[in-house]
Amino acid sequence: MAEQGLRELARDAERLVPVPDLWELERRGRRRRAARAGLTVAALAAVVALGHWLVGGPFAGDAPLPAQRPQPNTTVADAGQLPYGRSRNKVLPPGVALAADVTYHAHPFGDHDPVVVRLTPPAASTGASTGTWTWSADGVVRPGVTERAGPDHLRLVVMVPEIVRTRPCSGSVFEFWESVTQDPLGAAGQLSSLPEMTLQAGPESVVAFGQPATHLRFSLRRDACPDQSPIHLLQSADDAVTFEVPTTVDAWFVRTRSGLLLIFAEHAADQEPQARRSLTRLVGSVRIDDER
Amino acid sequence: MDEELLDPRSARLESQDVGILPQVFAASYRRLVVQLYGVIGDYSEAEDAVQEAFVRASLHRARFEATLNPEAWLRAVAINVHRNRWRKLRNFARIRHRLVEAVDLPGLGETHLELMAALRSLPETQREVVALHHLVDLSVDEVADLLGCPTGTVKSRLARGRAALEAALGAMEVGADG
């Protein structure tokens, strides 16, 4: 009975399958592979640049140290709209004041429209050129704050993820990676399957930022990597995202017209409620412009 | 005529030797999706795997065109795509069922939906051989060759899978009657 049913299924179901455009399939496949090739080229360029820097850089003479070099004027504070620059070491008013709205264009790899995201970052946050906002848990803006969350910093990142590192502890960028699938649930699965992370919640389907999304929360342990080095998890067309451990991350994958958008909010378990509130307010301020 | 020429697909067909891929796509795409649907148990994933197989055929056109049986090549690639993807996601798979139900082919009749539900209830190894033998119509030897396992293993999985499938369908009938 079942064998006959399977033969009938094969016969009847075929006519129900919609046929996509072959050339569109091919274009999508080529784009994915181009993203991989782009990463390899970028890595090669980074190695060459590093070699050049070591030979002719700060060790060769009186070139400025990285922390002293001019930073791109990309933060809200540096743009002159706010009283707190990234290197003034001032204490923020209670509650960590929020700045004006900013609009960030998250660019997918290749010839696609950017995903437009609007949000209201804390006044003293740093970053933004790569969709990363970092600020201190205690409201103090310290010199040399990196675009990486640490024990006393919070971070929000908006990105179109292209590459997920399958061996996040490995220093090599030439291997151990795969393209991020465009399905939010599948992408969440790619992240959750990494051995270095502990899944704390989800993945679950939610509505976030006015869009259907997949949310998960994970933590990265201090001993995740043998040498406790930063963990390299994700790569967008613009930048790689690394994590200092230990940390906890809430991540939302949202499917948009231009590609899969990832928003993650990073925080430590023992942070002050006030700092957490500033992160919650920032997440709550995020809006995605996605006219379908 | 002018409109046809402005269509990038038409332009491409005229400017390049596209080989046999479009013909194979037209003849085999739907059949392969249904076959993978049976093997995987999820229409959406079957569609993904088959589309990825065609992308690889396009990227490795010379190798693809040299094969004696392009449809068999595509089927093998699609099955490998699915297996590799699933292997990477096996941790996630443990919790995946809590989030989403498997996707069925839209428009499928009730009898076929019940059959797919029964097929999905089988262990993956049994479902693979049952679908490849009865739905794809491969011989036991061909299934063994495709999956890279001994013929005896295929036969035993097939026997167990058929029994389990009949039992699952029987249970569904009892449930519907009761």
Side-chain angles (χ1 to χ4, degrees):
Chain A
M1 185 183 94
E3 289 92 328
Q4 178 63 25
L6 285 168
R7 277 192 287 276
E8 288 171 3
L9 172 69
R11 185 194 62 214
D12 297 344
E14 210 177 295
R15 63 186 166 77
L16 298 172
V17 175
V19 181
D21 181 84
L22 175 60
W23 307 123
E24 179 54 33
L25 281 185
E26 190 193 32
R27 272 194 292 276
R28 283 207 317 253
R30 286 189 188 281
R31 278 203 296 267
R32 281 204 304 274
R33 281 157 180 81
R36 293 178 188 175
L39 178 66
T40 306
V41 170
L44 278 170
V47 169
V48 170
L50 180 65
H52 180 74
W53 180 73
L54 287 173
V55 173
F59 301 119
D62 53 359
L65 292 171
Q68 297 169 326
R69 287 177 185 155
Q71 299 293 327
N73 292 326
T74 49
T75 66
V76 176
D78 291 345
Q81 299 168 9
L82 295 159
Y84 304 105
R86 69 188 297 170
S87 60
R88 295 189 189 172
N89 204 20
K90 289 189 176 179
V91 178
L92 288 176
V96 187
L98 296 184
D101 280 0
V102 297
T103 302
Y104 177 67
H105 292 242
H107 286 273
F109 185 87
D111 185 22
H112 298 282
D113 293 335
V115 184
V116 181
V117 179
R118 299 181 201 286
L119 70 166
T120 314
S125 60
T126 68
S129 62
T130 55
T132 301
W133 288 268
T134 308
W135 67 102
S136 305
D138 58 2
V140 178
V141 184
R142 295 185 177 84
V145 168
T146 65
E147 291 188 355
R148 215 184 260 171
D152 57 353
H153 292 91
L154 299 101
R155 176 169 69 161
L156 183 108
V157 176
V158 176
M159 67 187 297
V160 177
E162 303 283 352
I163 302 292
V164 60
R165 297 285 298 278
T166 54
R167 292 270 298 274
C169 293
S170 167
S172 169
V173 293
F174 294 101
E175 49 188 346
F176 310 132
W177 51 266
E178 61 184 22
S179 297
V180 174
T181 176
Q182 289 301 296
D183 166 44
L185 199 54
Q190 283 178 297
L191 266 190
S192 6
S193 64
L194 298 177
E196 285 77 8
M197 68 170 51
T198 306
L199 190 62
Q200 292 194 336
E204 60 182 340
S205 297
V206 296
V207 173
F209 324 113
Q211 308 278 349
T214 298
H215 168 258
L216 71 157
R217 174 179 290 175
F218 59 88
S219 60
L220 298 165
R221 303 180 311 274
R222 186 176 294 281
D223 61 348
C225 293
D227 56 357
Q228 297 181 15
S229 58
I231 294 183
H232 298 250
L233 272 192
L234 294 155
Q235 173 92 29
S236 71
D238 293 325
D239 201 9
V241 179
T242 55
F243 293 84
E244 296 278 4
V245 288
T247 190
T248 304
V249 180
D250 276 284
W252 292 267
F253 286 95
V254 186
R255 195 203 307 266
T256 74
R257 186 168 46 87
S258 299
L260 188 71
L261 186 74
L262 170 61
I263 294 174
F264 68 75
E266 194 180 354
H267 48 97
D270 54 353
Q271 263 160 1
E272 295 291 323
Q274 181 177 305
R276 284 175 172 277
R277 276 198 296 275
S278 69
L279 184 62
T280 305
R281 287 167 67 187
L282 177 53
V283 170
S285 77
V286 173
R287 290 290 176 270
I288 301 166
D289 285 356
D290 186 38
E291 293 175 9
R292 287 172 191 265
Chain B
M1 180 65 183
D2 285 347
E3 283 181 8
E4 255 184 50
L5 287 175
L6 289 173
D7 183 344
R9 280 171 290 174
S10 303
R12 182 175 184 128
L13 284 169
E14 289 193 352
S15 64
Q16 290 184 19
D17 175 16
V18 293
I20 62 169
L21 188 61
Q23 286 77 27
V24 175
F25 184 75
S28 304
Y29 175 80
R30 288 176 151 172
R31 185 161 49 241
L32 284 167
V33 170
V34 171
Q35 292 174 355
L36 266 288
Y37 176 38
V39 170
I40 297 170
D42 185 297
Y43 169 66
S44 178
E45 288 179 24
E47 205 177 31
D48 276 356
V50 172
Q51 291 183 2
E52 176 63 22
F54 273 100
V55 168
R56 291 187 188 186
S58 169
L59 291 170
H60 306 287
R61 200 162 287 189
R63 197 191 310 166
F64 173 68
E65 305 218 339
T67 57
L68 292 175
N69 187 339
E71 187 172 308
W73 187 92
L74 287 161
R75 188 186 304 116
V77 170
I79 288 173
N80 282 334
V81 165
H82 168 69
R83 288 180 139 198
N84 290 338
R85 192 176 292 173
W86 208 238
R87 197 173 298 132
K88 286 174 188 166
L89 295 180
R90 67 175 176 270
N91 289 340
F92 178 55
R94 292 192 194 117
I95 58 161
R96 190 174 187 276
H97 67 278
R98 298 199 319 231
L99 307 171
V100 288
E101 295 295 325
V103 177
D104 274 312
L105 174 61
L108 210 56
E110 195 176 333
T111 311
H112 291 331
L113 286 174
E114 282 180 2
L115 183 57
M116 280 308 301
L119 202 54
R120 265 197 293 274
S121 71
L122 303 187
E124 189 175 0
T125 52
Q126 292 177 19
R127 186 176 62 243
E128 275 180 346
V129 296
V130 167
L132 288 171
H133 186 61
H134 293 297
L135 198 144
V136 183
D137 209 20
L138 298 183
S139 69
V140 169
D141 287 339
E142 286 170 327
V143 174
D145 190 40
L146 179 59
L147 298 179
C149 59
T151 308
T153 305
V154 172
K155 284 179 180 171
S156 63
R157 285 177 185 172
L158 198 52
R160 283 201 297 270
R162 270 197 296 243
L165 189 61
E166 293 289 357
L169 285 170
M172 281 179 189
E173 273 182 22
V174 170
D177 293 342

